[in-house]
Amino acid sequence: MSDTDSPQLAADGPGNAQTSVVAPAGPAATSTGRPRSTTSTAFDWLILVASCASGVALLLFGLRVGGALAAAIPGLPDAGPATTRALPVVRLLGDGLATVTVGMLVTSAFLLPGDGRTVSPHGYLLLRRASLTALSWAVAALSLMVLTVSDLLGQPLETLKPATVVSFATMISQGQSLMLQAGLALTVALLARAGVSRGLAATVAILALIAVLPPAFTGHSAGAGNHQIAVTSLALHVLAAAVWIGGLVALLMVRRSRLLAEAAARYSRLALGCVVAVTVSGLANAAVRLGTVDQLWQSRYGWLVLGKLAALLILGALGAAHRSRTLPALRAGSRWAFTRLAAGELIVFAATVGLAVALSRSPTPVPVSGIDADPITELLGFPMPAAPTSGNLLGQPLPDMFFLTLCTVGVGGYLAGVRRMHVAGHRWPLARTASWVGGLLLLAATTNLGVARYAYVLFSAHMAQHMVLSMLVPILLVGGAPVTLALRALRRPADPQVRGAREWLLIAVHSRVTKVLTHPLVALGIYTASLFGLYFSDLLGVLMRSHLGHLAMLTHFVVAGYLLFWVLIGVDPGRRRLPHPLLVIIHLASMMAHGFFGLVLMQTTTVIAPDWYLAVHPTWASSLLADQNLGAGIAWAFGELPAVVVMIILVRQWIRADTREQARLDRAADRAETTGEEDDLARYNAFLAASGQADSGSRRTTGPDQH
């Protein structure tokens, strides 16, 4: 983890960011030109060995305590000691490589200052190292897939056939997730060497974060009851932990850089958010797997959870020490204080990861599957709800950590921005705040209250949820003008070479992708395709069978509606500015498309997504076709009120725009009268008069016969 072999990014003239890679001064030189310290290299190896030892030790201890190393039951297939011992070790290795890859890429793209449009020399170093760790990560994921097949089938590795592994990788969800992760990790490895631009580094970092997620959607959480909260809480837990741990590893790699102090300060703020996310998501996930509180001390799995909680408290204390002691010392030039504490923290992190892997291999008090399990609960994650009433629709919540986190962060961040504006003496309209908060509260209610349960089993409830998410919620969110507030409230970094949240937001809203998505025809096409493409194909049934697919579908409803209404009534920068008459035409076209969709759906006599709705159809419900017709009626009638609201807003904006233009012309005329100069309107009228006189003079000169 030393700074050796770091390149220098030289500029070819002032402001010309041409990148050239210059080799180090020698085998014993660093990127700063100083001789490599033998003590520093020894310290790197000491940290690596100590971290690996603590991770493996806690892994073995957790496997022993959790009962994962118990002898196989006589008569049942046994994969053999090689698979039993290698599988958790490879899992620990893969998790470690994934964490380090994410940390190096996030640090390179977001924490370290850049060099114009390119990453800094230390950022380049991290990119190249991330390429190697990502490649190793891909190999570990493929190895884990083979070991998992051996473990599930109880076949030793030497008897496992390649066709069996291929079948597992292409047909079983757990194998598909590992195969997808290996492919994403390989893509990260290639892209990390494809260039040195900061935009590419950010893209690769986001792709690495996505690559961490696939295994989170299989295993204990995906098979447990209430997997709506189990799966998404685990995904959030894994993401936050990867950024938290990996970022610390990356800082240790560049600890000799003069930029460490500022990078560590930015990491500290990021780590604080990761601590909160890891704690909340971990407690939520543990609650689902334990079932009851007494299982914390009455089950082996609960003992491991308590051990992991203790490690989290230690890490929180170390993080507090970083903020209160080592960051001031680092700014004062004392790097050793940071290095010493960060190294100790990394060793505790490694032990915690080993404990987490042991937890994933240990049986939970609440079984994830069983022969006598309710098939509806296995499919939905919750038992079949009773007949719908107003109390059931609102009083039987179905929490989902994804939307709960999204809404909580959205409301908290928006209110923090409003408060910062108020402290600075600037006024922010109360109506915009109410619109944004109301939209997120409506989003949380639609995706987490009882109506979310019935949206799984009734087409009519699903359609009502769709209409709210694609029409009401986006209109309220667009009315909040979140981009405008963020650009005004976010502070610029002190270092102009650092891209903070405001700078990345500006890049995003003015990017080519945003320009394409906010093209009126594109936004209208996406909105219309989400109606016809989903319900008149087999896509709905496919998405409903997967929790990830269900989340993607609901998110698409909100995003598609947001894009359309941002084009129509949005005030944020970044969207295409169109004349108001054209906006009215686009809105009328969307109304016609929506009405036509509802009409076609009402006339459909074929059941939509029959495989899904036949499997989950309640006994108390009407026939599938009758419920589908009810949903079609909801879709046809629901759009009237939002359409009227949008039309009123459009007309109001049109009137205000004309009023502002007239006021501008009046001010220009008054200014021209005061100064004695002609204003724009007077000059334009004079131009028309002169053109008319010239034309009439030409007619008199040439005569009518010569025309």
Side-chain angles (χ1 to χ4, degrees):
M1 294 189 291
S2 63
D3 297 344
T4 58
D5 301 332
S6 172
Q8 298 292 330
L9 303 182
D12 186 14
N16 188 4
Q18 179 179 353
T19 303
S20 61
V21 180
V22 181
T30 67
S31 62
T32 58
R34 292 175 295 181
R36 183 174 62 184
S37 171
T38 305
T39 304
S40 177
T41 304
F43 185 73
D44 291 341
W45 281 105
L46 180 61
I47 296 175
L48 180 61
V49 172
S51 300
C52 293
S54 65
V56 173
L58 265 292
L59 171 63
L60 296 177
F61 174 77
L63 292 173
R64 176 66 63 182
V65 172
L69 294 180
I73 300 176
L76 293 181
D78 184 14
T83 298
T84 304
R85 296 170 183 172
L87 195 150
V89 174
V90 173
R91 170 72 183 275
L92 177 62
L93 177 63
D95 289 350
L97 290 169
T99 299
V100 173
T101 301
V102 167
M104 288 191 290
L105 292 173
V106 169
T107 302
S108 174
F110 302 111
L111 298 183
L112 291 176
D115 187 5
R117 293 187 176 183
T118 63
V119 297
S120 65
H122 284 89
Y124 177 91
L125 170 70
L126 293 179
L127 279 178
R128 291 301 180 264
R129 289 183 173 178
S131 177
L132 296 177
T133 56
L135 183 60
S136 303
W137 177 17
V139 174
L142 294 175
S143 302
L144 185 61
M145 182 177 62
V146 176
L147 292 169
T148 303
V149 176
S150 173
D151 181 62
L152 291 177
L153 299 181
Q155 293 184 10
L157 292 174
E158 57 271 15
T159 64
L160 205 59
K161 297 180 180 180
T164 305
V165 178
V166 172
S167 178
F168 176 76
T170 56
M171 301 180 63
I172 307 300
S173 60
Q174 194 170 358
Q176 291 170 346
S177 68
L178 290 172
M179 195 68 182
L180 176 60
Q181 185 178 64
L184 291 174
L186 181 60
T187 304
V188 168
L190 296 176
L191 291 179
R193 287 187 171 272
V196 292
S197 71
R198 300 169 78 176
L200 178 62
T203 302
V204 179
I206 295 173
L207 186 61
L209 287 170
I210 295 174
V212 173
L213 292 177
F217 292 93
T218 58
H220 283 174
S221 295
N226 196 11
H227 56 239
Q228 285 76 15
I229 191 170
V231 171
T232 46
S233 63
L234 180 60
L236 178 63
H237 190 78
V238 169
L239 279 179
V243 175
W244 186 13
I245 304 171
L248 184 64
V249 175
L251 288 181
L252 283 172
M253 290 183 179
V254 297
R255 65 183 182 275
R256 300 186 64 190
S257 169
R258 67 180 185 277
L259 306 173
L260 177 61
E262 294 301 324
R266 287 187 287 274
Y267 166 77
S268 180
R269 293 189 291 269
L270 180 62
L272 181 60
C274 291
V275 170
V276 176
V278 168
T279 303
V280 174
S281 60
L283 291 175
N285 198 267
V288 172
R289 298 187 184 188
L290 289 171
T292 57
V293 178
D294 59 345
Q295 291 298 322
L296 271 174
W297 55 87
Q298 292 184 1
S299 66
R300 292 176 176 267
Y301 191 89
W303 298 346
L304 295 181
V305 171
L306 289 175
K308 190 176 177 182
L309 180 60
L312 183 62
L313 293 176
I314 295 174
L315 292 170
L318 292 174
H322 267 300
R323 296 179 65 89
S324 62
R325 298 181 182 179
T326 62
L327 289 182
L330 191 57
R331 295 189 187 98
S334 176
R335 299 178 184 176
W336 174 245
F338 170 82
T339 302
R340 183 177 62 249
L341 187 58
E345 189 176 1
L346 185 60
I347 293 172
V348 179
F349 267 133
T352 308
V353 173
L355 204 57
V357 174
L359 272 170
S360 68
R361 293 286 299 164
S362 302
T364 61
V366 178
V368 297
S369 62
I371 299 176
D372 298 328
D374 178 21
I376 295 297
T377 303
E378 289 285 317
L379 192 59
L380 299 177
F382 55 87
M384 177 66 71
T389 63
S390 57
N392 291 339
L393 290 172
L394 301 176
Q396 294 184 355
L398 184 66
D400 190 293
M401 285 292 294
F402 175 77
F403 289 109
L404 284 177
T405 303
L406 183 67
C407 295
T408 301
V409 173
V411 171
Y414 194 95
L415 295 180
V418 173
R419 183 180 182 277
R420 181 173 291 182
M421 292 277 292
H422 178 72
V423 171
H426 303 292
R427 180 179 174 272
W428 183 256
L430 180 61
R432 289 186 178 179
T433 303
S435 180
W436 176 264
V437 174
L440 287 181
L441 291 178
L442 183 59
L443 173 61
T446 308
T447 55
N448 289 273
L449 293 182
V451 65
R453 293 180 181 269
Y454 292 95
Y456 276 94
V457 299
L458 293 177
F459 182 85
S460 56
H462 165 80
M463 185 57 68
Q465 186 185 48
H466 181 174
M467 294 297 102
V468 172
L469 294 179
S470 64
M471 301 193 74
L472 290 183
V473 170
I475 291 174
L476 292 172
L477 295 182
V478 168
V483 177
T484 302
L485 176 63
L487 293 177
R488 294 182 183 180
L490 291 172
R491 297 190 179 99
R492 293 180 175 88
D495 187 349
Q497 292 296 338
V498 174
R499 286 182 180 175
R502 187 179 186 277
E503 287 68 31
W504 285 112
L505 179 60
L506 280 172
I507 292 173
V509 298
H510 294 297
S511 65
R512 293 181 180 178
V513 175
T514 301
K515 290 180 180 179
V516 171
L517 292 178
T518 56
H519 189 283
L521 295 181
V522 175
L524 181 60
I526 293 174
Y527 182 81
T528 305
S530 66
L531 296 174
F532 291 92
L534 179 64
Y535 297 105
F536 295 102
S537 67
D538 298 330
L539 187 58
L540 177 61
V542 173
L543 295 177
M544 293 292 282
R545 288 187 174 274
S546 165
H547 182 60
L548 179 60
H550 191 258
L551 288 179
M553 177 176 61
L554 299 185
T555 303
H556 173 77
F557 293 159
V558 179
V559 173
Y562 190 93
L563 284 175
L564 177 63
F565 294 115
W566 192 26
V567 171
L568 293 176
I569 59 175
V571 297
D572 282 329
R575 71 182 184 91
R576 290 176 177 267
R577 300 292 178 178
L578 299 175
H580 284 87
L582 184 57
L583 292 177
V584 171
I585 294 176
I586 296 173
H587 180 48
L588 292 176
S590 67
M591 292 173 57
M592 293 175 59
H594 190 276
F596 181 70
F597 164 74
L599 185 63
V600 172
L601 194 60
M602 283 192 294
Q603 296 178 349
T604 300
T605 58
T606 303
V607 175
I608 296 174
D611 293 342
W612 172 258
Y613 285 109
L614 283 173
V616 300
H617 187 62
T619 56
W620 42 259
S622 58
S623 66
L624 291 178
L625 197 56
D627 182 65
Q628 182 173 301
N629 289 334
L630 176 59
I634 293 174
W636 183 78
F638 193 91
E640 294 184 1
L641 181 59
V644 172
V645 171
V646 172
M647 184 62 72
I648 293 174
I649 296 175
L650 271 175
V651 173
R652 185 182 179 186
Q653 290 179 347
W654 193 349
I655 295 174
R656 286 185 173 181
D658 288 345
T659 303
R660 287 194 297 269
E661 179 63 18
Q662 186 60 47
R664 187 188 68 82
L665 294 176
D666 292 341
R667 287 194 301 270
D670 294 340
R671 185 167 54 252
E673 183 178 355
T674 302
T675 59
E677 298 178 355
E678 293 182 344
D679 63 338
D680 293 341
L681 182 60
R683 285 194 293 269
Y684 181 67
N685 290 334
F687 168 75
L688 293 179
S691 299
Q693 292 175 1
D695 183 66
S696 61
S698 175
R699 290 176 181 272
R700 289 193 299 270
T701 302
T702 57
D705 295 338
Q706 299 182 29
H707 283 277

